[in-house]
Amino acid sequence: MSKGGYCDKHRQEREQRRGTAASRGYGHKWRTAREEYLMQHPLCVECTRLGLAGAASHVDHIIAHKGDPALFWNRANWQGLCAPHHSEKTVREDGGFGR
């Protein structure tokens, strides 16, 4: 097994099906918007809800966009999350990354 729980053959097949980050909308325009959003919203919303002051490092789509560009770019559908809270949400909603 390699990183991510897949053997090399199946990891490559999975990555080909999923596509590149850029092909899924996470190119230069997204990176610029993400940086701007995190500057304006520096705290993780889940940490804040728990009374903590964790730094947001991920811009999360509250409702999964599933390729819908309008939902992808709707900033009302964005929230800042720290890495642990983003990972928890991903596993809870998708069963893990890329599933």
Side-chain angles (χ1 to χ4, degrees):
M1 287 284 171
S2 67
K3 181 178 158 187
Y6 293 91
C7 68
D8 290 338
K9 177 185 177 212
H10 288 106
R11 181 181 43 78
Q12 289 172 350
E13 289 174 4
R14 180 184 157 275
E15 288 174 4
Q16 287 175 346
R17 281 193 314 272
R18 189 167 186 224
T20 66
S23 73
R24 291 180 284 120
Y26 296 99
H28 177 74
K29 182 178 174 184
W30 167 256
R31 288 189 303 275
T32 301
R34 175 193 170 280
E35 284 181 36
E36 180 182 298
Y37 187 86
L38 290 174
M39 294 274 293
Q40 295 170 358
H41 304 89
L43 298 178
C44 169
V45 297
E46 285 299 313
C47 287
T48 301
R49 187 179 65 76
L50 296 170
L52 304 170
S57 55
H58 295 268
V59 176
D60 175 63
H61 291 92
I62 299 165
I63 300 169
H65 61 83
K66 298 184 181 178
D68 176 351
L71 196 54
F72 184 94
W73 291 108
N74 181 354
R75 288 182 180 227
N77 187 41
W78 295 0
Q79 64 182 349
L81 293 175
C82 64
H85 280 125
H86 185 261
S87 293
E88 286 176 18
K89 180 178 184 272
T90 300
V91 168
R92 185 175 60 250
E93 293 182 356
D94 301 339
F97 289 94
R99 293 196 176 106

